[in-house]
Amino acid sequence: MRLHRLGVTAFGPFGGSQTVDFDELSGAGLFLLHGPTGAGKTSVLDAVCYALYGAVPGARQSGQGMTLRSDHAAAETRTEVRLELTIAERRLEITRQPPWERPKKKGRPGTTVDKAQSWLREYDARAGTWKDLSRSHQEIGEEITQLLGMSREQFCQVVLLPQGDFARFLRADAEARGRLLGRLFDTHRFAEVEKRLAERRRATETQVRDGDTELLADAHRMQQAAGDAMRLPDAAPGEPGLADAVMGAAAVARSTAREQLTIAHSRLAAAESAQAAAERALADARELARLQQRFTQARDRAALMEERSDGYRQAQVRMERARKAEAVAPALELREAADAEHGRAGIAQSRARALLPDTFADAGAAGLAAAARRAAEELGGLESARRGEQRLAELVAERAGLDRQERADEDVLQEAEAWLAGWETIRAGLQSRIDSAQEAATRAEQLGAQREPARKRLNAARMRDQLAGDTDTIADRVRLAQQDALAAKAHWLDVKEQRLSGIAAELAAQLEDGHPCAVCGATDHPAPARKDAGHVDREAEERALAAYQQADERHIEQERRLGTVREALAAATAEAGDTPTEQLAAASEELERLYAQAHRDASDLHPAREELRRQEAEHEQRTAARQQAEVRAASRVGHRERLDQERALLEEELTQARGPADSVAARAAQLERQAALLTDAADAARAAEDTAQRLKDADARLADAAFRAGFETPQAAAEALLDDAAHRDLQRRLDAWQSEEAAVRAVLAEAETAAAAQQPPADLASAERSAALADRRVRDAASARDAAARRCADLDRLSTRAAGSVRRLAPLREEYDRVARLASLAAGTSADNERKMRLESYVLAARLEQVAAAATVRLLRMSSGRYTLVHSDDRAGRGRSGLGLHVVDAWTGRERDTATLSGGETFFASLALALGLADVVTDEAGGVRLDTLFIDEGFGSLDDQTLDEVLDVLDSLRERDRSVGIVSHVADLRRRIHAQLEVVKGRAGSALRQRGAG
């Protein structure tokens, strides 16, 4: 990388535009950047860094670039940095403009914020022109980082060599060195490996503990199941040997439970044997009691039957008479049926004669039949007249239907004429509705396209108003944070100055008799400095520095927030313009109202079209209905005349046929009823005569049957006869008597029952008590046996479950042991890691060893071959080893800590370290050639001889075609180095003066 030209405008202390020609300065290989304190020497380096990465080094980066603007610049001048350089044989030009808070245009009050802008161009040597590559911040940053092969932090350490940082690096402890080297060499991935291993160890440890907790829970369950037969181990979850202890205790508990189960089986068998004997004794007692009771009951039943024997004999006589009467029953039933039939026939005859005129009161069956035949013959002659009468009714109905059709057609014609008269008005109105709705739809579409831009502009205006207030609030916070940071910085500088004033006492406190002084090297310390009452130690200085850094970080955060709010305000203002929010809201509301009205009007388009189609269809229907009604009216005239002629002829014929009746149908109905009544009366008279003869025959047969059955009269036979229910009841009583008598005799004849009756009464209660006691003992023994079996089953189940848990935990325990060993080894806490060195520290130690070797090459020249930097992995006190840095003094042959170097020695040692680090980082970045370097301060601590040696080393860098810029205000350097860039400080801002090697 080689710098060619740098241009700055309104940047840092430079109020106007300044230009640096690095090609001219680099011609001599070594140039000086000098100027009074606060003039802006470091700002030139900041501009280079900002052009490349869009940010300045370290703590000076704040406020999203808003604080980079010069306070001396005119309000209308925009801050800009332009850098022309060559990287990897490509000549590039980078232009960056940070966010700019400028006055509003057109004389409006207030300010607005323009966004940051960036440009990247490449010079085309063939065409001799610049070609635009990108205007994206992100794309430019990625392109530059890829070409350089290093981040901003690495660039600031490698190209802009900050000597103060490396002097602190020499004196720092291992942790501070680790942080710097970690940023430069990006070894965070190794720290991430340590973190991942630690997390994996914690995760597996948690899983092992959870598994042991589950195993102990099963052990507690087994203890509950086993009672006092199991003792739990004292080991806690995660401790070794827990699984073996639990499984051993479970085996003892299972063995004890099986012994108890065997004892319970034996007790149950004995109880069941005693229960069987008690059950047999109880069964014998119950059988004896049953037989004795059976004999007693049979004897009582025999006595009772003897008392009721008379009733049994009477029932037998009654059953014998009933059997004889059954032979007379058919004749009785026949006589009753004939009598009932004769009665019904007489009633039917009386009813039929009551309906006839008195002229037929004495007529017999033959006379009534003859009168019925005469009426039927007269009825047959009226059939033709009846059909004529039906046709006349049809003609009247048809004539009435024609009249109804005529009235309906007249109504249709009137309604159609009235509706068709207004058709043109209806059609014109509907067409007007359709045209209006179409216009509204077009208007709604136009207004709808305006709604979203109006809403966005209104929202942007509201955001603009809100952000304007937020900008003022955050600006006040920025001022307060800046005041706090300045006060904290002043306090820190005061404390640092106080500590430097008393540093002799602090160094004297570390002196020991017989040991060399770190400053002068003497072993005698006759008058060491003493600490005064207000002495400030290192901790107080670090606390003040931490307070300043925290205050500065808060200031940076507030400036970042202010920049973010101002960018958002600029974006909102660009979108909303300067129109007041109330005016935009009113316009948006009016637009919404007009859109809603147009949308409502347009919604009537479809209903209006549908209504027009419906009215047109109805117009066609009504026109057709009017034509059809006119055709039907013309055809009804001839039909009506034919119906009237036929009606007149029929009425004349029917007048003759119906006689005195109102109609032919009425006359026919009279004749039909008279013929039917006469026929019914004749049939009823003949039936009465027939039933009387059958009743007489039935009386003769009944008298003969009763005499043959042995009854004096038919009445006596009827009284002896039993119905089915009485017969069944009597037979049941006789059968029951016989069954009871046979059963009693059978019981009394049983030998076993008779023998039981001779024995003493059975003691059933005593036998039942003995059986109940034996049953209770069996239940108790069975319960004990079941409990023992459940205990064995529970222990077997829980033991199997615990064994499964132990098998599942075995691989996890092995993994935990392996991960724990790796995590401890990587973290430096393992006994196998003798130097207690973390993995990241191990990698950084290798890098530091490379840096020390590269730095030693230049340090030997700067110190005239006296000093050599070496890496040390010894432990410092009780801490961890790996990042120690010692210096070997060739004059004494002893190795000592770099913190013991004097001020001048510390400078050229840190310079050598910085150059060595630059070489290592450059090689790490892929060998990108760095042709321009800057070294910041520290030369004032060197004597003339050492300064010459350091300058010779720097001048030797030209052998690699490098140019080195020294940033210093040491006056002697202006005499030694001819190529200079001077920063001149003034009230209107700083300016740059460039002088070449000539």
Side-chain angles (χ1 to χ4, degrees):
M1 179 198 74
R2 177 176 293 277
L3 303 183
H4 299 292
R5 183 177 300 276
L6 173 68
V8 296
T9 303
F11 182 85
F14 306 106
S17 297
Q18 303 293 325
T19 303
V20 179
D21 188 352
F22 286 108
D23 289 337
E24 181 182 358
L25 292 174
S26 301
L30 194 66
F31 63 91
L32 177 67
L33 175 60
H34 68 94
T37 302
K41 299 186 296 297
T42 306
S43 296
V44 176
L45 308 184
D46 290 347
V48 174
C49 185
Y50 181 73
L52 292 173
Y53 293 97
V56 296
R60 297 191 296 277
Q61 170 63 22
S62 61
Q64 297 293 323
M66 297 292 292
T67 57
L68 300 179
R69 179 173 175 78
S70 175
D71 295 334
H72 303 286
E76 65 277 3
T77 302
R78 177 156 191 175
T79 303
E80 180 180 279
V81 176
R82 178 179 286 107
L83 177 64
E84 185 179 339
L85 74 164
T86 297
I87 308 176
E89 306 301 328
R90 297 175 61 185
R91 185 151 185 161
L92 304 175
E93 181 188 74
I94 308 171
T95 304
R96 293 189 185 270
Q97 295 179 349
W100 179 32
E101 184 178 7
R102 62 169 177 80
K104 293 183 177 180
K105 297 180 180 179
K106 299 181 181 180
R108 293 192 297 272
T111 60
T112 184
V113 177
D114 288 346
K115 296 181 180 180
Q117 298 186 19
S118 300
W119 293 269
L120 176 62
R121 301 195 302 170
E122 182 176 4
Y123 184 73
D124 188 350
R126 295 181 179 179
T129 58
W130 290 93
K131 178 177 61 176
D132 292 335
L133 296 182
S134 176
R135 299 191 62 177
S136 168
H137 302 302
Q138 182 177 359
E139 291 179 358
I140 295 174
E142 293 175 353
E143 180 71 15
I144 297 300
T145 302
Q146 183 177 3
L147 289 175
L148 289 177
M150 62 184 74
S151 64
R152 178 171 62 91
E153 290 79 7
Q154 292 175 319
F155 178 83
C156 294
Q157 294 289 343
V158 173
V159 179
L160 310 179
L161 303 178
Q163 296 307 300
D165 288 349
F166 281 95
R168 285 192 295 274
F169 181 83
L170 287 173
R171 299 189 181 95
D173 56 11
E175 295 294 333
R177 287 174 183 156
R179 287 194 294 272
L180 175 60
L181 293 174
R183 290 196 303 270
L184 291 177
F185 294 106
D186 190 19
T187 59
H188 296 293
R189 59 185 183 277
F190 298 100
E192 187 66 23
V193 170
E194 297 176 22
K195 180 181 177 183
R196 293 288 180 86
L197 286 174
E199 292 175 352
R200 184 70 178 276
R201 178 182 59 188
R202 288 192 295 270
T204 53
E205 182 180 7
T206 300
Q207 292 176 350
V208 170
R209 288 182 179 274
D210 292 343
D212 284 348
T213 301
E214 182 180 354
L215 183 61
L216 279 178
D218 290 338
H220 281 290
R221 296 186 185 97
M222 285 189 283
Q223 185 185 35
Q224 293 176 357
D228 298 333
M230 179 178 178
R231 294 185 59 186
L232 293 179
D234 296 333
E239 294 184 5
L242 175 63
D244 294 336
V246 170
M247 297 308 296
V252 173
R254 291 197 304 274
S255 177
T256 303
R258 288 190 175 89
E259 292 177 359
Q260 294 174 352
L261 178 60
T262 302
I263 294 173
H265 274 299
S266 299
R267 290 177 178 173
L268 177 60
E272 288 176 345
S273 178
Q275 182 192 28
E279 289 290 342
R280 287 193 297 271
L282 177 60
D284 293 342
R286 286 176 175 171
E287 181 63 19
L288 179 60
R290 186 185 66 80
L291 292 174
Q292 291 176 347
Q293 184 181 7
R294 178 179 176 83
F295 183 81
T296 303
Q297 291 176 350
R299 188 174 53 193
D300 295 340
R301 287 158 57 193
L304 182 61
M305 292 180 65
E306 183 63 26
E307 294 176 358
R308 299 177 178 176
S309 58
D310 293 339
Y312 172 68
R313 286 189 288 271
Q314 292 176 2
Q316 285 181 323
V317 174
R318 181 75 177 88
M319 178 59 74
E320 183 63 26
R321 286 180 57 81
R323 288 195 183 96
K324 293 179 180 180
E326 289 178 356
V328 188
L332 286 172
E333 292 175 359
L334 183 59
R335 199 272 175 191
E336 290 175 357
D339 185 55
E341 186 180 6
H342 180 64
R344 289 193 296 271
I347 294 171
Q349 182 182 12
S350 300
R351 291 176 179 173
R353 288 184 179 276
L355 296 176
L356 296 175
D358 294 340
T359 56
F360 298 102
D362 297 332
L368 293 174
R373 285 194 296 273
R374 290 193 297 272
E377 292 173 357
E378 185 177 358
L379 178 61
L382 292 177
E383 184 62 30
S384 176
R386 184 184 297 177
R387 288 193 299 269
E389 190 174 42
Q390 291 176 354
R391 174 57 182 164
L392 179 61
E394 293 174 357
L395 292 175
V396 172
E398 188 172 358
R399 183 67 167 78
L402 290 176
D403 294 340
R404 286 193 301 272
Q405 290 179 4
E406 184 176 6
R407 290 191 299 270
D409 288 342
E410 289 177 356
D411 294 340
V412 169
L413 287 172
Q414 292 176 0
E415 184 178 358
E417 292 293 341
W419 191 89
L420 292 173
W423 161 243
E424 292 299 330
T425 302
I426 293 173
R427 187 182 62 79
L430 290 175
Q431 188 61 43
S432 176
R433 281 178 59 191
I434 292 173
D435 296 341
S436 299
Q438 288 178 339
E439 294 176 359
T442 303
R443 188 167 61 258
E445 184 178 0
Q446 295 173 352
L447 294 174
Q450 302 173 12
R451 291 172 65 208
E452 186 63 24
R455 279 200 297 267
K456 290 183 177 178
R457 189 178 180 189
L458 176 59
N459 293 334
R462 290 171 176 168
M463 181 61 69
R464 177 197 63 196
D465 297 344
Q466 179 181 354
L467 292 175
D470 295 344
T471 301
D472 297 337
T473 302
I474 298 177
D476 294 339
R477 295 178 182 173
V478 169
R479 286 192 292 272
L480 293 176
Q482 185 178 18
Q483 294 174 2
D484 294 342
L486 292 175
K489 182 177 182 181
H491 175 66
W492 167 56
L493 294 175
D494 292 342
V495 172
K496 183 176 183 180
E497 184 176 359
Q498 293 176 16
R499 187 191 174 206
L500 292 176
S501 299
I503 194 65
E506 185 173 338
L507 294 174
Q510 302 177 1
L511 295 176
E512 297 181 7
D513 293 337
H515 292 77
C517 174
V519 178
C520 63
T523 57
D524 295 331
H525 318 295
R530 305 294 179 186
K531 296 182 180 178
D532 56 14
H535 177 74
V536 177
D537 55 8
R538 181 178 179 178
E539 294 181 357
E541 180 186 355
E542 290 179 350
R543 287 196 299 271
L545 176 59
Y548 161 61
Q549 291 174 345
Q550 293 175 359
D552 192 51
E553 289 176 358
R554 289 193 294 271
H555 178 216
I556 292 171
E557 177 62 21
Q558 292 297 335
E559 286 187 335
R560 185 191 63 77
R561 293 181 59 190
L562 178 60
T564 301
V565 172
R566 283 175 173 171
E567 288 183 1
L569 177 60
T573 303
E575 184 173 358
D578 298 329
T579 306
T581 304
E582 294 77 7
Q583 183 176 348
L584 292 176
S588 178
E589 291 177 0
E590 178 63 19
L591 181 61
E592 291 294 336
R593 187 189 64 78
L594 294 175
Y595 174 75
Q597 181 63 40
H599 190 270
R600 286 193 299 271
D601 294 342
S603 63
D604 190 43
L605 178 59
H606 180 71
R609 287 175 174 172
E610 291 297 324
E611 181 64 19
L612 178 59
R613 283 193 290 269
R614 191 183 64 80
Q615 292 294 339
E616 289 175 347
E618 187 172 357
H619 174 264
E620 294 177 358
Q621 293 175 358
R622 291 184 181 273
T623 302
R626 180 180 62 180
Q627 294 174 354
Q628 293 172 1
E630 291 173 350
V631 171
R632 288 194 300 271
S635 64
R636 276 195 300 270
V637 176
H639 191 194
R640 186 184 296 111
E641 292 177 354
R642 289 192 300 273
L643 292 177
D644 291 342
Q645 293 176 0
E646 186 177 0
R647 178 180 177 181
L649 295 174
L650 288 175
E651 286 179 348
E652 182 178 357
E653 293 177 0
L654 293 176
T655 300
Q656 298 177 358
R658 60 176 173 260
D662 295 334
S663 64
V664 174
R667 177 58 181 165
Q670 290 177 359
L671 292 175
E672 287 178 355
R673 185 171 183 277
Q674 182 178 357
L677 292 176
L678 290 172
T679 302
D680 292 341
D683 294 339
R686 285 194 294 270
E689 293 175 356
D690 293 341
T691 55
Q693 183 60 40
R694 286 196 293 272
L695 177 59
K696 182 177 179 181
D697 296 339
D699 286 337
R701 285 195 296 271
L702 176 59
D704 183 60
F707 176 77
R708 285 198 302 270
F711 293 100
E712 297 178 357
T713 63
Q715 184 64 30
E719 292 175 357
L721 189 64
L722 297 175
D723 57 15
D724 292 341
H727 185 275
R728 285 194 300 271
D729 181 65
L730 182 59
Q731 186 63 45
R732 181 186 58 77
R733 286 164 55 194
L734 293 173
D735 293 341
W737 178 276
Q738 294 173 359
S739 298
E740 179 69 10
E741 184 179 16
V744 169
R745 288 178 180 177
V747 171
L748 295 177
E750 292 174 354
E752 185 180 7
T753 303
Q758 301 300 321
Q759 296 181 13
D763 189 359
L764 188 59
S766 177
E768 289 177 345
R769 286 193 299 271
S770 298
L773 178 60
D775 184 64
R776 184 166 62 253
R777 289 176 178 172
V778 169
R779 287 198 301 272
D780 294 341
S783 298
R785 189 273 315 273
D786 294 341
R790 285 195 301 272
R791 185 181 303 111
C792 288
D794 291 343
L795 289 175
D796 290 340
R797 177 177 55 81
L798 293 173
S799 297
T800 302
R801 177 176 172 179
S805 299
V806 171
R807 287 194 300 272
R808 288 193 301 272
L809 280 176
L812 189 60
R813 289 183 189 275
E814 295 177 0
E815 182 183 1
Y816 168 68
D817 294 339
R818 182 174 62 257
V819 172
R821 286 195 302 271
L822 287 175
S824 300
L825 187 63
T829 59
S830 173
D832 298 334
N833 193 335
E834 297 178 356
R835 297 192 177 277
K836 304 300 180 184
M837 186 183 296
R838 294 172 47 239
L839 177 61
E840 185 183 16
S841 299
Y842 177 79
V843 176
L844 291 177
R847 296 299 188 190
L848 182 58
E849 190 172 1
Q850 295 175 353
V851 171
T856 297
V857 175
R858 295 181 177 86
L859 182 59
L860 286 172
R861 293 185 60 185
M862 293 180 188
S863 63
S864 300
R866 179 179 179 181
Y867 293 118
T868 302
L869 284 176
V870 294
H871 162 251
S872 173
D873 55 5
D874 294 334
R875 296 177 61 183
R878 303 177 64 181
R880 298 177 183 176
S881 61
L883 297 179
L885 191 63
H886 290 176
V887 61
V888 179
D889 191 345
W891 292 2
T892 63
R894 300 183 63 180
E895 180 179 327
R896 54 193 173 99
D897 194 274
T898 54
T900 62
L901 295 173
S902 65
E905 293 171 340
T906 299
F907 167 73
F908 62 68
S910 62
L911 177 59
L913 186 65
L915 294 174
L917 180 63
D919 293 339
V920 174
V921 173
T922 300
D923 295 339
E924 179 72 15
V928 176
R929 181 179 177 85
L930 301 177
D931 298 321
T932 305
L933 298 177
F934 293 91
I935 301 174
D936 190 3
E937 280 300 345
F939 294 89
S941 60
L942 304 178
D943 55 29
D944 291 341
Q945 181 181 354
T946 305
L947 181 60
D948 289 338
E949 293 174 349
V950 170
L951 291 179
D952 288 342
V953 172
L954 295 178
D955 192 56
S956 67
L957 295 176
R958 288 186 296 175
E959 297 174 0
R960 301 173 64 180
D961 197 21
R962 283 183 177 177
S963 62
V964 180
I966 298 176
V967 182
S968 178
H969 50 70
V970 177
D972 191 43
L973 289 176
R974 292 196 295 272
R975 178 179 55 82
R976 293 170 179 262
I977 302 175
H978 301 289
Q980 299 178 8
L981 179 64
E982 182 181 4
V983 184
V984 181
K985 183 169 60 175
R987 287 185 175 273
S990 298
L992 296 175
R993 296 178 182 175
Q994 183 171 331
R995 187 176 66 183

